[in-house]
Amino acid sequence: MTTEEIGRQVKYLRSKKKIERERICLGICYVISLRRLEKGKRLPDNFVLERIMERVGKSVNKIEFLTDEETYELYYLREVIETDLEAEKYEEALEGIRYYEGLKIAEQNLHKQYIYKIKAILEEEYYKDTAASSRYLEMAIFCTLPGFQIELLENYILGEEEMILILMWMDQKIRFGEIDFAPYRTKILDYIQYAFDDEEVLANVYGKASWIFMRELMREEKNIEAAGIGIKAVNVLVSNGVLLNLPQLLELLLTCYEKADKKAYRELKEKRDSLKWVYETYGKECGTEQIRVWKNHYRREIYLISEVMRQERRLINKSQEQIAKALNIDQKTISRIEGGIYKPKDGTFQKLKEYFGIDIELCNTSLAVEDFELLEWEREVAKEIFHRRYDEAEKLYRQLRERLDLSKNENRQYCLHFDAVFDQINGKITKAELLRQCEQAFAVTRENCRLEDLSGIVLNKNETIIMNFIAKIYGQIGQNEKEIYILEQMLQGFENSRVDMQYHYASVALIYEHLAGKYEESGQFDKAKDIYEKGIRFCLQCERGDMIGKYLMENIYTWERKGGDRFVCKGYYKQAYQLLKLMQMESAQKSLEKYYMDNYTENID
């Protein structure tokens, strides 16, 4: 997706919701910046673009960012500060935020807002000064929402981060009896459902608001009303594969059910206990009591300009000197770009893209579309295939395909691949033809890439899906060693990157599952177990639950094949089964039910 396409999409979403430019820009940028974006002339920086997207209701998780080192270091600094806060390493978090304050960029509103937010957390949790914490929260809110009044909530255009700040403020006021939450409960929940139509944003924000209001309703002994809110919140989370806030919501729901519905209580407790067990077993705190309202759930796809340029140069086997000469650019400029010291100007970046023959922008989505709704369709196609509901997946894919502009590389690549996938499912093509079509799809964006090059590059999400599928085809035609080699090379590419792998969750999780399965099939049990356990820890780190039950189930099967104690395996299978039920993984759940009955001659449930 080009700058022009991002701009048109922002304009479309803003116009659809009838929001004036001034309201979108309030506290974050000049109106002229939004005008330039909507005309496709210039992208604002990542943080401003993210807030604009949030304010029109869309998740930044739909966007791939090709960024400079300085911006990535800010993302990473935030991660470090928040990790320290979670671990109650307050001195380290304080040191991190002081460093942040010393940066020149800290004077900008969005960064100032973040700094005030962290200071508010430190004041309450570390210094135990609630009054100071409240002042910092108000300062944070006013950075981008000057004069904000909760009574006039519906008059504001809020981003995800701003809604979280308001929830932090309200949670604090409610806990200390400074505000009656009753008049605001319905207003806030309704606002969230209307304003945040992106499912991933909704999962994060709705879960937090629900927990705050459930807790207060339960204090008033309105457990049935609280349970109604909790059930909806849990469904929103698990349908999106998110673990964030899930343990705490389950804990409150159990309390609601304990006296009112014994059957529901027992069923939910089994699921909660299994989730708690996997957290504790793999060394991560479950945190069933308090929700960290301040915590975000961003899953940005981040790539470094410096790494991409270096990778592309090596793929065509050219030196910096050769490229500089061909483009009439100072070699020092090329060296600085690859070293992350210098962010290329628009003209230089365009020259480099044309020279390397790559179609990549500073800001991309997985498909080049005019309507972000089509990205939701793409997500639903992937979800249906993941759950092996192939008829539904193909029907939705055909509708999506009709709406895509196939002159765009991203769209052509996507369709070449999925045309082949569904032809295979329907038995229309041979394995050889399937392999040829998938390799053709991969070459749309990676014409110069050989299999041995994979360890030196970071593929985007679509490229990873296609190459993972190519590896699977090699396995199906009996070339198992080649299948494993491809997967190992792809994984090494992500591991070698300077970008933390959590910024490529979907790609890495896919490789983990496939590679571990191939290790297990080939009798390399220790390698398989190592990958499955890495996968479980990775899911917990990224607070994702969509793969965790499957990883656990397959890990137990691998251990069983290696000669593990069958009695212990039975217990572990039951834990995996409850996790699959919790996360509504019906296909894997049914597979485990059958396997357990066949091998242990009893019902697992």
Side-chain angles (χ1 to χ4, degrees), residues 299-521:
R299 284 201 297 122
R300 306 173 180 92
E301 285 279 321
I302 293 180
Y303 304 84
L304 290 177
I305 295 173
S306 57
E307 282 193 342
V308 170
M309 293 298 108
R310 186 165 59 249
Q311 291 164 8
E312 295 300 328
R313 177 175 63 78
R314 288 174 177 172
L315 284 176
I316 61 173
N317 196 27
K318 296 286 186 180
S319 67
Q320 291 180 356
E321 184 180 5
Q322 288 173 308
I323 292 173
K325 186 176 181 180
L327 298 180
N328 194 26
I329 297 173
D330 190 337
Q331 185 183 339
K332 289 181 180 178
T333 300
I334 303 294
S335 178
R336 288 182 183 130
I337 291 170
E338 291 192 5
I341 300 169
Y342 175 77
K343 180 179 178 180
K345 295 178 181 177
D346 290 346
T348 304
F349 185 57
Q350 186 61 35
K351 282 184 179 181
L352 288 165
K353 289 198 303 175
E354 290 173 1
Y355 182 81
F356 292 129
I358 55 176
D359 185 12
I360 190 169
E361 299 294 330
L362 296 174
C363 178
N364 258 346
T365 50
S366 51
L367 295 175
V369 294
E370 296 289 331
D371 186 349
F372 262 51
E373 182 186 5
L374 299 184
L375 299 179
E376 298 292 343
W377 290 18
E378 177 207 12
R379 187 168 178 260
E380 287 302 313
V381 170
K383 187 184 290 187
E384 295 299 326
I385 289 174
F386 182 75
H387 290 289
R388 300 182 183 178
R389 296 190 287 258
Y390 298 123
D391 289 343
E392 294 91 335
E394 183 173 10
K395 182 179 178 181
L396 185 56
Y397 166 69
R398 297 299 173 195
Q399 294 173 354
L400 172 60
R401 195 185 195 286
E402 289 179 5
R403 299 273 300 274
L404 294 177
D405 177 0
L406 297 185
S407 69
K408 304 291 186 181
N409 278 350
E410 304 99 311
N411 301 346
R412 189 165 73 257
Q413 182 177 66
Y414 177 81
C415 291
L416 280 170
H417 175 229
F418 277 100
D419 283 348
V421 168
F422 288 114
D423 280 348
Q424 181 209 28
I425 290 170
N426 296 321
K428 293 182 178 179
I429 55 176
T430 64
K431 287 288 190 294
E433 179 63 15
L434 178 65
L435 181 60
R436 188 193 67 78
Q437 287 188 30
C438 289
E439 288 176 340
Q440 181 185 356
F442 186 74
V444 169
T445 56
R446 291 289 181 178
E447 185 177 4
N448 298 312
C449 183
R450 303 162 299 172
L451 296 183
E452 54 267 33
D453 296 323
L454 292 173
S455 63
I457 61 177
V458 179
L459 302 179
N460 69 29
K461 190 161 58 177
N462 279 346
E463 291 166 348
T464 302
I465 290 169
I466 295 168
M467 185 50 69
N468 179 71
F469 196 71
I470 288 171
K472 193 174 291 185
I473 299 168
Y474 276 115
Q476 291 169 354
I477 61 177
Q479 297 188 40
N480 296 319
E481 290 184 3
K482 193 166 188 177
E483 179 180 16
I484 289 175
Y485 174 76
I486 291 171
L487 296 169
E488 289 175 335
Q489 293 290 98
M490 281 200 293
L491 182 58
Q492 192 175 339
F494 285 104
E495 290 175 340
N496 288 343
S497 172
R498 289 180 54 202
V499 175
D500 193 304
M501 289 202 301
Q502 68 176 314
Y503 292 107
H504 303 290
Y505 169 79
S507 296
V508 174
L510 182 67
I511 297 169
Y512 276 158
E513 181 189 22
H514 190 172
L515 180 57
K518 295 313 297 184
Y519 280 149
E520 183 274 323
E521 285 177 20

Side-chain angles (χ1 to χ4, degrees), residues 29-43:
C29 65
Y30 293 114
V31 172
I32 189 65
S33 298
L34 181 55
R35 287 184 185 275
R36 286 171 179 160
L37 170 62
E38 290 186 349
K39 289 180 179 179
K41 290 184 176 180
R42 186 184 299 174
L43 282 172

